[in-house]
Amino acid sequence: MIRRGAHALAHLLTSLVLGPATFVWALLTTLVSGVLSFTYLAPPAFLLVTWMTRRIAGLERLRAALVLGRPVESPYSAPLRGNPWSRGRALVREPATWRDLAWLVLLFPAGLAGGLAGVLVGLVDLGTILAPVWLWAVPNPYLPPVVDWLFNTTGGRFVLTVIGLLLAPAVWWLVTTAARLQATAAAALLEPGPRQRLARRARELAVTRRRVVDAQAAELRRIERDLHDGAQARIVAAGMTLALAERKLRQTGQTAGADIGTARRQLDEALAELRRLVRGIHPPILTDRGLTAALAALAGDAPLPVEVRASELGDLPPAVESAAYFVAAEGLANAVKHAAAAACTITIERGGDTLSVAVHDDGRGGADATGSGLDGLRRRVEALDGTLSVTSPAGGPTTVRAELPCAL
Amino acid sequence: MRVVIAEDLLLLRDGLVRMLTDTGHDVVAAVASAPELERAVADQRPDVSIVDVRLPPGFRDEGLRAALAIRAREPRTPILILSQYVERVYAAELIADGQGAVGYLLKDRVTALDDFLDALERVAGGGTVMDPEVVRQLFARNTGDQGIAALTAREREVLGLVAQGLSNSAICAELVLAPASVEKHIGNILTKLDLPPSDDTHRRVRAVLAYLNQ
């Protein structure tokens, strides 16, 4: 209560001081830029001025954030490159540049109004509450009778304190509202506008999409290599062995039992290799019986006790299902391989349109969240607009957690 | 024959070595990378080299590049390229120098042992060997070609075998035809495709491949 009031009052006070200053800054810089715009000094001057303006606007964002109790994002697009001319042009085209300037001009009247309403009333009330402390030092002759008693006697001054305290809630409301109005106006101008929000979202999507495409391509290359070096090579080798056996039989009539045995073993290995590869692409049980059953199977195959806690998940998009499965599989594999865990829990639940899957192990922790396995998972999850978090302090425990939006 | 093998997968390298030694050939070097291959060929001067298209370090077409480099330095060095997949472009690069003594086969063909050994002999003898799959692709490319369209079904069959690098006698055996009729077919084909008549098998194969690759 008191803190919010104090914040609000401080905000209004600083606005009163800053308003004229920023107004003068905005006016001067605009004038200077305007005059210089006909000379070759325009771009560097404009860049410098904008850089300063953005620092001031940043300060304004901080002030607004304090009052609003939430962060106020900065709207600027990525740092600029190129020569001063092209950078200047980019700045001119950026709406944020002009919105900053608009606020710096507006802060003057807004600060004045808020200051008069809030600060005056606030300070008068504060003075009234503290009357016994200071009124005796200020002589007030020639006052009307009642006021004279209030001002010039100790008892009266204490009555003033009571009156001030009674008025305090109303004053508190006025001060905080004035400050909040100011901060809201500041945020409205200084935060990313709808156009920038869209542009930013589009940029994010472009980045995640590129990552998805890259991850997909890498995955296909991996599959091709695995087929080429694994199953295909084994099958060819088995064919060679059989060809030799056949030749022996045909030419010399000697037995070829050993060769045929070798060929059979090579073919078995090729099949095992293919099965492993297929499971890595998309586990068949996921297709046949859904996520919960696939996770139970995963837990059953693990070399350590794994508990699966799954609630009713309903219908899930196949991409989400498979991403959730691989988050669990990778988390489990890491727990076995790196964490030396004794037990592991896989929790999967759906809250509305979000599916969350978490793998928790009691191992030694210290997992590298940027490692290739976890990074691949992150891409896969981000591609679906989800998030992946890894908490793994040294000494454990480790939790890998993914939140996946799953609106069908 | 003295043979050099370049294949990065141990399983297949050993298989090839075993197959060749069991059939009375002498494997003088079995290596796993392109630089090793170039050294082995320079040191050993084998009768023929069997080279996998894909070799370390890049696992792309290092084997083919090494083969082309070796033949650029030392023309007519016999090389048989093995590939898991057929790439017409690779085959074309291989026969582009028109020197012969090259082959391009699918890896799976090694299991047809006798055919494979026969192909190896032909490459060592300066011939050109093309995988039937490559020839099939060449035909598919030339579907709209006037010359090919003018051929009869039988002539097209013969042309396919010529393109694979078979000699007249091998074509006779394959199609169960008399030598005279095979010669007649080939004469007709060369006329229809406007190719120079020739009794030299290698030169004829090159001419046909060049025609199909144009």
Side-chain angles (χ1 to χ4, degrees):
Chain A
M1 276 299 263
I2 302 284
R3 262 195 47 218
R4 268 187 59 195
H7 267 175
L9 205 57
H11 182 87
L12 293 177
L13 269 171
T14 43
S15 291
L16 257 181
V17 181
L18 281 170
T22 59
F23 184 81
V24 170
W25 167 260
L27 216 59
L28 267 181
T29 54
T30 310
L31 274 175
V32 168
S33 302
V35 169
L36 286 179
S37 67
F38 300 105
T39 72
Y40 62 88
L41 279 177
F46 184 64
L47 288 180
L48 184 73
V49 162
T50 311
W51 184 84
M52 271 303 293
T53 303
R54 287 188 171 189
R55 289 284 165 290
I56 301 169
L59 184 73
E60 282 299 298
R61 274 182 207 101
L62 281 179
R63 286 198 323 126
L66 264 177
V67 170
L68 294 174
R70 66 172 177 84
V72 177
E73 278 181 69
S74 75
Y76 310 125
S77 41
L80 303 159
R81 277 186 297 276
N83 64 27
W85 284 102
S86 65
R87 280 162 55 186
R89 265 197 301 276
L91 283 180
V92 169
R93 271 201 302 269
E94 202 175 334
T97 307
W98 307 111
R99 293 161 65 116
D100 282 356
L101 215 56
W103 173 245
L104 295 191
V105 172
L106 258 179
L107 181 56
F108 189 25
L112 211 60
L116 287 181
V119 176
L120 226 63
V121 172
L123 288 181
V124 166
D125 190 47
L126 219 61
T128 314
I129 292 171
L130 297 175
V133 181
W134 62 277
L135 260 180
W136 56 266
V138 188
N140 289 299
Y142 321 120
L143 287 173
V146 179
V147 184
D148 182 64
W149 174 77
L150 281 174
F151 274 54
N152 293 331
T153 68
T154 309
R157 286 176 195 152
F158 275 103
V159 173
L160 271 183
T161 302
V162 173
I163 293 171
L165 283 172
L166 285 175
L167 284 174
V171 172
W172 182 88
W173 178 86
L174 187 84
V175 168
T176 49
T177 306
R180 218 183 26 254
L181 276 174
Q182 244 186 53
T184 309
L189 275 170
L190 297 176
E191 275 187 322
R195 196 180 117 184
Q196 282 163 299
R197 269 184 229 276
L198 279 176
R200 188 174 285 190
R201 181 82 185 118
R203 271 199 302 276
E204 280 167 13
L205 287 176
V207 169
T208 50
R209 192 191 59 175
R210 202 178 49 244
R211 280 174 146 187
V212 177
V213 172
D214 288 350
Q216 198 90 20
E219 186 69 0
L220 284 175
R221 271 201 305 278
R222 185 187 65 80
I223 291 169
E224 194 259 346
R225 277 295 305 277
D226 281 358
L227 275 174
H228 177 276
D229 291 356
Q232 265 181 318
R234 284 179 204 282
I235 291 170
V236 173
M240 281 191 215
T241 312
L242 283 173
L244 275 174
E246 186 191 32
R247 189 187 168 95
K248 274 184 197 164
L249 282 171
R250 206 178 48 225
Q251 288 188 337
T252 58
Q254 63 189 119
T255 51
D259 279 342
I260 290 174
T262 306
R264 274 197 43 192
R265 207 185 54 249
Q266 285 168 327
L267 285 172
D268 286 346
E269 280 166 1
L271 274 175
E273 192 94 29
L274 277 172
R275 270 197 301 272
R276 200 180 50 77
L277 191 65
V278 167
R279 254 211 310 274
I281 296 168
H282 192 86
I285 188 167
L286 194 57
T287 316
D288 301 345
R289 303 197 180 167
L291 187 53
T292 309
L295 290 179
L298 194 66
D301 294 338
L304 76 173
V306 179
E307 187 194 348
V308 179
R309 297 180 193 156
S311 53
E312 186 50 48
L313 301 175
D315 275 343
L316 295 168
V320 170
E321 216 170 35
S322 128
Y325 175 87
F326 281 106
V327 168
E330 179 76 19
L332 193 54
N334 285 343
V336 173
K337 257 198 312 228
H338 307 301
C344 187
T345 312
I346 298 173
T347 314
I348 184 150
E349 56 203 349
R350 181 175 186 165
D353 274 345
T354 305
L355 180 76
S356 74
V357 55
V359 183
H360 182 85
D361 73 61
D362 60 357
R364 71 172 91 116
D368 177 14
T370 57
S372 69
L374 285 170
D375 194 52
L377 272 191
R378 179 167 289 115
R379 286 167 183 232
R380 191 164 186 156
V381 169
E382 280 177 355
L384 300 167
D385 257 350
T387 54
L388 182 88
S389 62
V390 180
T391 48
S392 184
T398 301
T399 305
V400 177
R401 185 183 186 83
E403 307 268 343
L404 293 153
C406 55
L408 275 166
Chain B
M1 290 189 292
R2 298 172 71 255
V3 187
V4 165
I5 296 172
E7 161 66 63
D8 58 299
L9 296 175
L10 180 68
L11 199 64
L12 294 183
R13 198 166 62 234
D14 284 355
L16 281 168
V17 171
R18 205 155 51 96
M19 219 167 71
L20 289 164
T21 39
D22 278 11
T23 51
H25 295 285
D26 179 16
V27 179
V28 292
V31 299
S33 74
E36 287 175 299
L37 165 71
E38 296 196 33
R39 264 202 307 279
V41 172
D43 296 346
Q44 301 286 347
R45 301 272 165 171
D47 298 319
V48 64
S49 308
I50 302 173
V51 180
D52 183 7
V53 167
R54 236 187 203 184
L55 287 176
F59 293 103
R60 287 198 170 78
D61 56 351
E62 281 79 357
L64 179 75
R65 285 168 195 277
L68 293 174
I70 289 169
R71 285 171 58 87
R73 278 198 300 271
E74 197 63 56
R76 300 191 59 75
T77 306
I79 292 180
L80 174 61
I81 294 275
L82 290 184
S83 170
Q84 195 79 266
Y85 315 99
V86 158
E87 274 297 346
R88 193 191 50 76
V89 177
Y90 292 174
E93 283 173 10
L94 209 52
I95 54 179
D97 65 4
Q99 299 283 347
V102 285
Y104 184 89
L105 284 181
L106 265 179
K107 231 178 230 181
D108 312 0
R109 307 282 180 220
V110 300
T111 58
L113 193 50
D114 295 334
D115 292 353
F116 176 70
L117 291 172
D118 177 55
L120 204 57
E121 303 263 1
R122 273 188 284 143
V123 171
T128 305
V129 173
M130 256 319 116
D131 196 280
E133 183 59 26
V134 176
V135 176
R136 207 183 51 74
Q137 286 188 16
L138 286 174
F139 271 84
R141 258 182 93 215
N142 286 288
T143 42
D145 183 274
Q146 292 305 315
I148 303 275
L151 300 179
T152 65
R154 190 49 134 182
E155 284 167 351
R156 226 170 289 182
E157 216 172 351
V158 173
L159 177 66
L161 295 174
V162 170
Q164 285 173 42
L166 269 61
S167 63
N168 282 14
S169 53
I171 296 175
C172 292
E174 181 80 22
L175 298 179
V176 201
L177 285 171
S181 44
V182 169
E183 272 166 39
K184 193 167 70 79
H185 282 313
I186 291 179
N188 288 346
I189 292 166
L190 295 179
T191 312
K192 284 181 184 173
L193 299 187
D194 204 12
L195 293 171
S198 156
D199 290 338
D200 177 352
T201 305
H202 303 329
R203 199 170 322 149
R204 206 174 56 204
V205 171
R206 286 202 297 275
V208 165
L209 284 173
Y211 177 87
L212 291 173
N213 253 319
Q214 65 196 349

